[in-house]
Amino acid sequence: MSSMATVAPRGKETRPRNGLLDPKQWITSAPAAFRKLDPRVMWRNPVMFIVEIGAVFTTVLAALEPSPFAWTITVWLWLTVLFANAAEAIAEGRGKAQADSLRKAKTDTVARKLAKQDPAIASPKVETVEIPAPELVRGDLVLVEAGQTIPGDGDVVTGIASVDESAITGESAPVIRESGGDRSAVMGGTRVLSDWIVVRITAEPGKSFLDRMIALVEGSERRKTPNEIALNILLAAMTIIFILAVVTMQPVAIFSKDYMAAAPDTAVLDGNGVTGIVMVSLLVCLIPTTIGALLSAIGIAGMDRLVQRNVLAMSGRAVEAAGDVDTLLLDKTGTITYGNRRASSFLAVPGVAAAHLANAAQLSSLADETPEGRSIVVYAKEAYGLRERDTGELTGAEWIEFTAQTRMSGVDTTEHGSVHRIRKGAAVQVIEWVKTAGGEPDQRVHDLVDQVSREGGTPLVVAEHQDGETARVLGVIYLKDVVKEGMAERFSRLRAMGIRTVMVTGDNPRTAKAIAAEAGVDDFLAEAKPEDKMALIKREQDAGRMVAMTGDGTNDAPALAAADVGVAMNTGTSAAKEAGNMVDLDSDPTKLIEIVAIGKQLLMTRGALTTFSIANDIAKYFAIIPAIFAVIYPGLDALNVMRLASPESAIISAVVFNALVIIALVPLALRGVAYKPGPASALLRRNLLLYGVGGIITPFIGIKLIDLVVALIPGIA
Amino acid sequence: MSSTTAGVLFIAAMLVALAATYKPLGDYLYRVVTRERHYKVERGIYRVIGARPDTEQNWAGYARSVLAFSAVSIVLLFLFQRAQGALPLDNGFAGVDPYVSWNTAVSFVTNTNWQAYSGESTMGILVQAAGLAVQNFVSAAVGIAVAVVLVRGFARRATDKLGNFWVDLTRITLWVLLPLSFVAAIVLVAGGAVQNLTDFTSAITTGGDTQTVTGGLVATQEAIKNLGTNGGGYYNANAAHPFENPTAWTNFVIIYLLLVIPFCMPRTFGRLVGQNRQGYAIAAVMGVIALVSTTLVVGFESMANGTVPQAVTAALEGKEVRFGVADSGLFAAATTLTSTGSVNSFHDSFTSFGGGVLILNMMLGEVAPGGVGAGLYGMLVLAVITVFIAGLMVGRTPEYLGKRIGAREIKLASMYFLVTPALLLIGVATSFAFPVNLDSMQDSGPHGLSELLYAFASASNNNGSAFGGFGANTPWFNTALGLCMLFGRFIPIILVLALAGSLAKQRPVPATAGTFPTHQPLFVGMVVGVTVILVALTFLPVLALGPLADGLQ
């Protein structure tokens, strides 16, 4: 498996391959940054569009009346716009590389459409028509043989094949895809390794998984999310306020200058009021350029972080919704516990020797090929030193295999014409079997069974029946669900974030309760049928909560569609994948927890940078207002707390700081602010201190430092 | 007792008095607006005005009623003043000049009470009591009603029904404003405020001159003027006039009256949303801003720059010696922090910084505690903006009291926030377009600019007080300020009602550990911060050239 290793790096801690201090990224994004200066592109970002208009305006002014001051400001205003564009381009660039390698899988695929559109074929030796993959439409039947690439998303309708899905999932082990059942979905761009299948195309041309993935990583289909729209409105309102503040300042400035007519004209203020260049500088410094410049990069980077964790979100809206999730529905099996239950002890009925029970348990499980059956044999060996025997070892033995109908397995051995029967299986069935054979299991048996159930285990009863004797129960095998390590801690972290976890299981309520307690989930839904899941989601949503769940089967589809965040497993059916709004390529149900964190991080980053952006304005005022007006009212120099060298250097320093802070914050925008699960009040206090108070202090220091340098430029200080 | 100690005691006593009223008055207002049953007298009123009290309105319907009621009020009040000469109890005055009539009608209906006239020489007893005072009641009731509707928006779930304007208006007037001002009027009369039907009395002063003294129904009007945060004085001297505000203790009562309803409304808010602590948080935001502002004003006035003020240890120019610096400072802060606009001293004569704080108080949008109703809804809009920024920082779609703050909510809140600064700044800036306007400024330079700023801050925020010394009675200022009053009142009201509508439609989101708590000191601090910073950022350039330049010399 090849290119995809770089395409979809694994592991939680994968940081963007940045080296943001690596100037290469800035250089490679430079052409895109210039292309984005096109007003037709810029106007989508109103804040930066204003900066661009301002830059054009100062360019004209600087050309008419050139001065080092005018040109310095003009250059830095253009740089401000370019830095913003470059930030976006860098974010997009990361996706570009991924998209290119994905596209390779897509091009040049030729589809072999069945000439007779009838899925009922017995062998691949049928007539096919070769057409380019992009021309396939929904419903087409295509034949794919070993070595060929599947031309589009669809369901297997005939045949079985092993498929290499590494191009999409990054997972090199092949998977089996067959018609019917929950493993029928195939994706375009993946390759059949053996055998052949007939696929019914389910995706419209250009809307396949691969297409969506390409669009996603490129950010080309990026639509603004609800919170982003709301934030944009707030930023626009602030921009309007500041435009008003700056524009209306002019007549007041003229009035004041007129009043103090003796004050000399300067490059900053003359009889016509504040000069155009300074007006634009003040406006650009005040409007929320920091967040305006980084807003779309934050969004693209958020999606990128998801893709890096091998999750495909169908929309940014879904990612954002993940941050809002209140209730998490988690399937017990595979998510909270390991897929299979394991034998953890043998409980003998009083009067039965432990070794006898162990021997019977082992014998009766030899013909049970289910994981539970195997675990009994393993446990008998580990705990009782019973050598694993082969079914062929016992002569005259008749093996009774486990079936879902009988729910029992066992063995009948014949010695001297007398048949000795051993059975092991579900409590109800085995007890029934004992009764049929004349036995009467007493209360002690029921107590054992109840005890195991109560503790969250699954009781399997072992019984024997010797010809001529009454059948009797020997004891109970304690099958235990093994809760994955670290789950309790994870759930308590979720609880701290305000997220309630609900375990969904087919187990009976007692078992479910015990596992729920061990795993530390907040609630459980026992004996759950798909309808129950659906009802639970509805109930939660009616109470105003946002629900997230994972699912893979077709019967999960309605619930996945109803949930606010529905993560379909990649191993699941097309129906499930269509219904959810995210697909986890690793098919890891615990991924949901990471998705929630990414969603929260996305919002937090926007909020933090908005706060930072607004807080910055205070220092900029302290730089610019005295710079403009101290010449007419010397008392206002008291506001020049940074003791900046000259009016010109003060204004330049503020503009330069405003531009440089964009570059400085690009890594944060791409990485997202650090997120430590915890209660909202703690998060808020931390972020407020860091980005609010920090946002007030930083520019005072930054502007002062820049001023120390700027003051050295001849003609400025 | 030093004047500092006196000032501190005065402020402390005010805090105690307000704290003691917080619960009972807030709870009482809650019961008035939530009562199921209609009283007989109410039903009678509904029959007369043709209202259907059991039909609740959606936000648009409510807004239409508010606007219709206000429009009719303006027209009637205008005609009433014009017809004064033909009516009894006119003190011998003719119909009021059409221009002043219009300005006054708008001013009183918008709860601004900017006075382009002088009470004792323009308005007779009848117009004052049956025209202006009536608007003092109902314009205040409209403000409270709109605030209640916004709170209903938070409290209700999945509905478009927000109450019935006519019911709210009737109940608030009948059972809150009338009884309270009745009591207040008696207290004021006891303190020496006049209450009679005499037009003029001639008196010989100790110096032997003849002085004409105007009587009238002063105490009753003084009561509602402050209780309803209106501020339109019976006399031109407003609460500096001994017939309105005779003694130091009536001064205390008057300040208390103008603060009491706005400060108790957070309690009503807390009750309506079912979480009293949310009310305390909002009251705390108001309290912090008010306390800081008052301290600054009184401090600046006491420190007093300049030779003469230093000699008498305080800036006493323009202040009544009956009240002194601290009481005048507190009054000035209170009247600008609320949308009252009554004055007991002349703000033009305050120190540059002291006057600057008064301007800033109004620029804050008058939210601490603000006008009756208007203060609460203004503060809640600021809380919504704060919640939005803060909410993002905790990684969730922001929500306030279980209601999500999405695009529509933030759009309405931002527009609300834009209105008054836009009116103020555009008004000031365009005033410079006509050189003749500069003649209205008594002073030139920074202090003149402060006067102009004050006028537009006052009109746009429906305060109504004047800086004094500013000649606002010109065609330009009458028009511009009139428009500011009108837009500054009704555009925000429409936006607030629309916000209520969009909030009420939502189903509330239950609070979890991930929800950012809006009742803790951290939130209180944030709202204070957002309020002050956003306003400071908007107005710093003009403030720098006005009061700051004036004071930093």
Side-chain angles (χ1 to χ4, degrees):
Chain A
M1 172 11 262
S2 49
S3 55
M4 285 307 292
T6 51
V7 170
R10 301 310 194 75
K12 283 172 232 166
E13 291 313 312
T14 319
R15 286 274 172 251
R17 298 150 284 129
N18 48 33
L20 278 150
L21 300 174
D22 178 2
K24 254 185 258 162
Q25 261 180 321
W26 289 98
I27 293 164
T28 48
S29 65
F34 277 97
R35 267 198 307 278
K36 284 171 189 280
L37 289 176
D38 185 339
R40 285 167 300 180
V41 180
M42 282 304 293
W43 77 269
R44 274 177 235 269
N45 184 344
V47 176
M48 294 317 295
F49 188 47
I50 301 267
V51 181
E52 189 179 26
I53 294 173
V56 171
F57 183 58
T58 55
T59 309
V60 173
L61 292 179
L64 291 176
E65 271 181 71
S67 72
F69 172 67
W71 280 114
T72 313
I73 293 283
T74 304
V75 167
W76 278 95
L77 289 181
W78 281 113
L79 284 175
T80 309
V81 187
L82 287 171
F83 290 160
N85 289 350
E88 194 181 81
I90 288 175
E92 286 170 349
R94 288 152 182 267
K96 273 263 172 0
Q98 302 187 9
D100 289 344
S101 64
L102 284 171
R103 224 176 245 119
K104 270 186 211 132
K106 189 173 174 269
T107 46
D108 307 334
T109 307
V110 174
R112 295 171 63 204
K113 193 173 161 186
L114 292 185
K116 229 175 85 193
Q117 290 279 299
D118 178 8
I121 57 168
S123 88
K125 306 271 179 292
V126 292
E127 197 187 329
T128 58
V129 186
E130 299 207 341
I131 61 167
E135 288 177 20
L136 286 173
V137 295
R138 213 182 163 104
D140 279 351
L141 293 171
V142 293
L143 176 71
V144 193
E145 289 189 79
Q148 296 174 344
T149 301
I150 297 173
D153 292 2
D155 283 324
V156 179
V157 288
T158 313
I160 177 167
S162 66
V163 179
D164 171 11
E165 293 191 342
S166 60
I168 302 240
T169 64
E171 181 60 62
S172 54
V175 292
I176 301 296
R177 295 287 175 235
E178 59 185 327
S179 60
D182 284 352
R183 293 194 294 176
S184 60
V186 288
M187 290 175 291
T190 58
R191 215 156 50 87
V192 171
L193 293 177
S194 70
D195 306 284
W196 58 272
I197 44 175
V198 174
V199 175
R200 174 176 279 126
I201 298 296
T202 53
E204 294 292 340
K207 287 195 182 153
S208 75
F209 220 71
L210 209 55
D211 293 312
R212 273 198 298 218
M213 198 156 162
I214 291 170
L216 204 70
V217 293
E218 279 192 323
S220 59
E221 253 188 29
R222 222 176 79 77
R223 280 205 207 94
K224 289 200 173 102
T225 58
N227 279 315
E228 216 178 335
I229 293 171
L231 183 54
N232 264 312
I233 292 171
L234 184 70
L235 296 181
M238 285 184 179
T239 306
I240 294 172
I241 283 271
F242 288 127
I243 292 177
L244 271 174
V246 171
V247 171
T248 56
M249 182 183 74
Q250 187 68 308
V252 182
I254 296 171
F255 163 79
S256 306
K257 179 75 174 60
D258 198 39
Y259 172 67
M260 299 294 276
D265 286 356
T266 64
V268 171
L269 181 70
D270 57 29
N272 296 318
V274 182
T275 57
I277 291 192
V278 175
M279 291 268 277
V280 173
S281 305
L282 178 60
L283 177 65
V284 169
C285 284
L286 292 181
I287 60 176
T289 47
T290 314
I291 179 68
L294 297 174
L295 195 54
S296 67
I298 294 171
I300 297 168
M303 286 298 241
D304 192 49
R305 279 201 296 281
L306 264 191
V307 174
Q308 282 179 37
R309 281 165 181 75
N310 263 358
V311 177
L312 293 190
M314 302 307 163
S315 68
R317 182 184 278 258
V319 186
E320 220 175 66
D324 289 342
V325 163
D326 301 289
T327 307
L328 216 52
L329 301 193
L330 294 170
D331 273 322
K332 182 199 77 177
T333 311
T335 310
I336 295 171
T337 63
Y338 290 104
N340 310 308
R341 281 169 286 208
R342 298 177 191 168
S344 70
S345 63
F346 297 148
L347 308 170
V349 173
V352 175
H356 182 62
L357 171 63
N359 189 45
Q362 189 218 38
L363 277 178
S364 57
S365 301
L366 288 177
D368 181 355
E369 287 298 327
T370 62
E372 285 87 354
R374 303 303 311 155
S375 80
I376 295 170
V377 176
V378 169
Y379 181 74
K381 183 176 171 188
E382 285 172 357
Y384 293 88
L386 290 178
R387 185 179 58 84
E388 186 181 342
R389 284 168 284 191
D390 196 1
T391 48
E393 252 174 77
L394 273 76
T395 46
E398 192 184 323
W399 300 100
I400 289 111
E401 284 186 17
F402 178 86
T403 70
Q405 282 74 41
T406 62
R407 302 182 68 188
M408 274 193 286
S409 67
V411 62
D412 293 354
T413 50
T414 315
E415 248 175 276
H416 318 298
S418 169
V419 183
H420 183 232
R421 303 176 183 84
I422 309 176
R423 292 292 181 276
K424 170 230 78 189
V428 179
Q429 273 76 12
V430 175
I431 288 171
E432 193 56 41
W433 178 80
V434 171
K435 282 182 181 166
T436 319
E440 192 48 61
D442 58 16
Q443 190 54 40
R444 292 177 306 183
V445 173
H446 291 290
D447 286 347
L448 278 180
V449 169
D450 284 351
Q451 182 200 330
V452 173
S453 302
R454 210 169 34 243
E455 288 169 14
T458 307
L460 293 182
V461 175
V462 183
E464 65 174 0
H465 180 209
Q466 183 78 38
D467 266 356
E469 291 176 24
T470 50
R472 63 165 185 160
V473 172
L474 298 172
V476 173
I477 300 171
Y478 191 144
L479 282 186
K480 196 173 176 188
D481 251 320
V482 184
V483 174
K484 288 183 175 172
E485 279 147 43
M487 289 317 275
E489 195 227 335
R490 271 192 130 162
F491 292 136
S492 79
R493 269 172 35 196
L494 285 172
R495 201 169 305 118
M497 285 154 66
I499 297 172
R500 212 166 64 92
T501 42
V502 180
M503 180 182 84
V504 180
T505 170
D507 292 341
N508 65 53
R510 257 200 328 217
T511 311
K513 189 175 177 193
I515 297 173
E518 189 183 344
V521 294
D522 300 290
D523 203 354
F524 62 88
L525 182 66
E527 290 171 346
K529 295 183 291 292
E531 311 87 85
D532 300 333
K533 245 190 211 182
M534 194 69 187
L536 177 64
I537 291 175
K538 278 269 161 306
R539 208 162 52 238
E540 292 287 315
Q541 286 175 337
D542 284 346
R545 300 195 184 92
M546 300 271 275
V547 185
M549 70 166 286
T550 56
D552 52 6
T554 301
N555 55 18
D556 283 332
L560 278 172
D564 301 286
V565 177
V567 183
M569 299 292 102
N570 190 42
T571 50
T573 60
S574 326
K577 286 199 247 180
E578 290 275 310
N581 43 22
M582 287 188 206
V583 175
D584 178 21
L585 298 175
D586 296 338
S587 303
D588 169 11
T590 56
K591 195 68 82 59
L592 208 44
I593 297 171
E594 283 168 51
I595 296 174
V596 167
I598 291 176
K600 286 197 177 289
Q601 229 187 359
L602 195 62
L603 295 185
M604 282 165 51
T605 310
R606 288 195 199 124
L609 291 185
T610 305
T611 308
F612 188 82
S613 204
I614 298 169
N616 271 205
D617 282 1
I618 297 172
K620 293 172 190 164
Y621 261 137
F622 275 96
I624 297 181
I625 293 291
I628 303 177
F629 295 118
V631 63
I632 38 177
Y633 298 128
L636 288 177
D637 199 47
L639 295 180
N640 183 8
V641 291
M642 287 171 272
R643 308 312 315 158
L644 303 175
S646 71
E648 287 89 344
S649 78
I651 293 164
I652 291 175
S653 303
V655 169
V656 170
F657 175 83
N658 193 51
L660 290 182
V661 82
I662 296 175
I663 295 187
L665 290 173
V666 166
L668 184 72
L670 297 184
R671 197 178 60 227
V673 304
Y675 174 59
K676 201 166 143 271
S681 46
L683 274 178
L684 184 65
R685 192 164 299 123
R686 178 185 175 277
N687 287 333
L688 199 60
L689 199 69
L690 218 55
Y691 301 100
V693 179
I696 293 176
I697 298 169
T698 314
F700 278 102
I701 301 167
I703 292 174
K704 176 67 190 173
L705 290 177
I706 295 169
D707 182 72
L708 291 176
V709 177
V710 171
L712 301 175
I713 304 174
I716 297 293
Chain B
M1 191 159 44
S2 77
S3 71
T4 315
T5 323
V8 170
L9 283 178
F10 194 94
I11 293 173
M14 186 61 64
L15 279 176
V16 171
L18 289 170
T21 338
Y22 181 77
K23 271 193 194 175
L25 183 58
D27 288 347
Y28 175 69
L29 185 54
Y30 165 77
R31 283 196 297 275
V32 168
V33 295
T34 52
R35 169 161 46 83
E36 295 282 325
R37 217 160 53 82
H38 299 290
Y39 293 153
K40 217 169 185 176
V41 51
E42 293 170 357
R43 288 199 177 280
I45 292 172
Y46 302 145
R47 255 195 304 280
V48 172
I49 59 177
R52 285 171 300 169
D54 295 312
T55 322
E56 293 217 343
Q57 295 167 302
N58 62 14
W59 81 262
Y62 206 100
R64 275 194 299 274
S65 297
V66 170
L67 294 180
F69 176 73
S70 303
V72 169
S73 297
I74 290 174
V75 172
L76 288 183
L77 188 55
F78 172 80
L79 295 175
F80 196 9
Q81 296 173 75
R82 295 288 294 132
Q84 175 167 250
L87 299 169
L89 290 173
D90 57 1
N91 289 22
F93 298 139
V96 181
D97 163 77
Y99 198 81
V100 174
S101 295
W102 153 253
N103 187 288
T104 308
V106 169
S107 165
F108 275 73
V109 171
T110 57
N111 199 255
T112 312
N113 302 38
W114 174 268
Q115 292 168 293
Y117 61 92
S118 168
E120 51 270 59
S121 60
T122 319
M123 305 287 181
I125 293 173
L126 187 70
V127 170
Q128 290 257 25
L132 304 183
V134 167
Q135 280 310 318
N136 280 350
F137 279 99
V138 292
S139 70
V142 166
I144 297 176
V146 170
V148 166
V149 169
L150 178 59
V151 179
R152 283 184 188 137
F154 282 109
R156 295 188 174 183
R157 49 184 300 157
T159 177
D160 63 343
K161 301 283 178 260
L162 289 164
N164 183 302
F165 172 68
W166 308 106
V167 172
D168 292 337
L169 178 71
T170 309
R171 288 186 180 182
I172 292 164
T173 311
L174 278 187
W175 312 120
V176 181
L177 297 173
L178 269 176
L180 286 179
S181 28
F182 183 77
V183 175
I186 289 177
V187 171
L188 290 171
V189 168
V194 300
Q195 180 77 354
N196 57 40
L197 290 173
T198 345
D199 43 12
F200 300 110
T201 312
S202 287
I204 309 295
T205 64
T206 42
D209 298 326
T210 307
Q211 187 182 9
T212 306
V213 181
T214 311
L217 301 169
V218 179
T220 43
Q221 191 153 330
E222 186 67 17
I224 187 61
K225 158 193 131 184
N226 292 299
L227 191 67
T229 61
N230 295 285
Y234 198 95
Y235 301 108
N236 193 36
N238 210 306
H241 197 291
F243 287 4
E244 287 197 19
N245 185 7
T247 64
W249 74 262
T250 55
N251 190 50
F252 183 90
V253 171
I254 287 175
I255 298 176
Y256 171 77
L257 285 177
L258 57 87
L259 291 171
V260 68
I261 294 182
F263 254 125
C264 293
M265 286 210 67
R267 173 71 183 184
T268 313
F269 156 70
R271 287 295 303 271
L272 279 167
V273 299
Q275 294 183 57
N276 286 333
R277 55 190 192 178
Q278 302 287 355
Y280 286 119
I282 292 296
V285 177
M286 294 174 167
V288 168
I289 297 177
L291 214 54
V292 170
S293 159
T294 308
T295 312
L296 287 176
V297 174
V298 176
F300 287 133
E301 294 315 295
S302 309
M303 288 187 307
N305 292 314
T307 334
V308 177
Q310 301 260 304
V312 296
T313 72
L316 266 169
E317 182 200 310
K319 297 189 181 73
E320 263 285 342
V321 281
R322 279 178 297 144
F323 307 132
V325 171
D327 294 12
S328 300
L330 179 58
F331 196 112
T335 198
T336 48
L337 284 166
T338 61
S339 79
T340 313
S342 51
V343 290
N344 77 345
S345 55
F346 287 87
H347 297 174
D348 191 33
S349 304
F350 273 49
T351 59
S352 313
F353 292 146
V357 176
L358 300 182
I359 298 176
L360 190 65
N361 282 344
M362 293 185 284
M363 286 171 168
L364 289 175
E366 290 168 359
V367 286
V372 284
L376 181 65
Y377 62 67
M379 182 52 83
L380 290 177
V381 168
L382 283 166
V384 163
I385 292 177
T386 307
V387 156
F388 182 75
I389 298 171
L392 286 178
M393 278 202 290
V394 303
R396 273 174 77 94
T397 294
E399 61 210 41
Y400 186 40
L401 301 166
K403 298 300 177 86
R404 284 180 195 278
I405 309 304
R408 186 175 158 77
E409 289 76 22
I410 209 70
K411 188 196 293 170
L412 294 167
S414 306
M415 280 163 71
Y416 178 101
F417 183 75
L418 271 173
V419 174
T420 40
L423 291 173
L424 198 171
L425 289 173
I426 293 173
V428 168
T430 47
S431 293
F432 286 107
F434 308 98
V436 64
N437 289 334
L438 301 184
D439 300 341
S440 289
M441 298 180 192
Q442 182 178 283
D443 299 271
S444 52
H447 200 77
L449 178 62
S450 295
E451 292 168 4
L452 182 67
L453 274 178
Y454 195 104
F456 278 97
S458 174
S460 306
N461 288 292
N462 298 140
N463 184 282
S465 63
F467 213 33
F470 185 71
N473 199 0
T474 70
W476 164 261
F477 287 111
N478 275 320
T479 315
L481 296 174
L483 289 175
C484 284
M485 288 190 269
L486 210 51
F487 294 146
R489 172 77 167 178
F490 294 108
I491 297 175
I493 281 185
I494 293 169
L495 293 169
V496 163
L497 291 174
L499 180 61
S502 104
L503 292 169
K505 254 193 284 178
Q506 296 183 26
R507 268 170 213 287
V509 182
T512 69
T515 315
F516 131 66
T518 52
H519 59 271
Q520 295 177 347
L522 186 63
F523 180 71
V524 172
M526 277 200 71
V527 182
V528 172
V530 166
T531 308
V532 173
I533 289 179
L534 283 186
V535 171
L537 292 179
T538 310
F539 295 111
L540 198 73
V542 283
L543 287 176
L545 293 174
L548 277 181
D550 197 10
L552 286 171
Q553 279 179 8

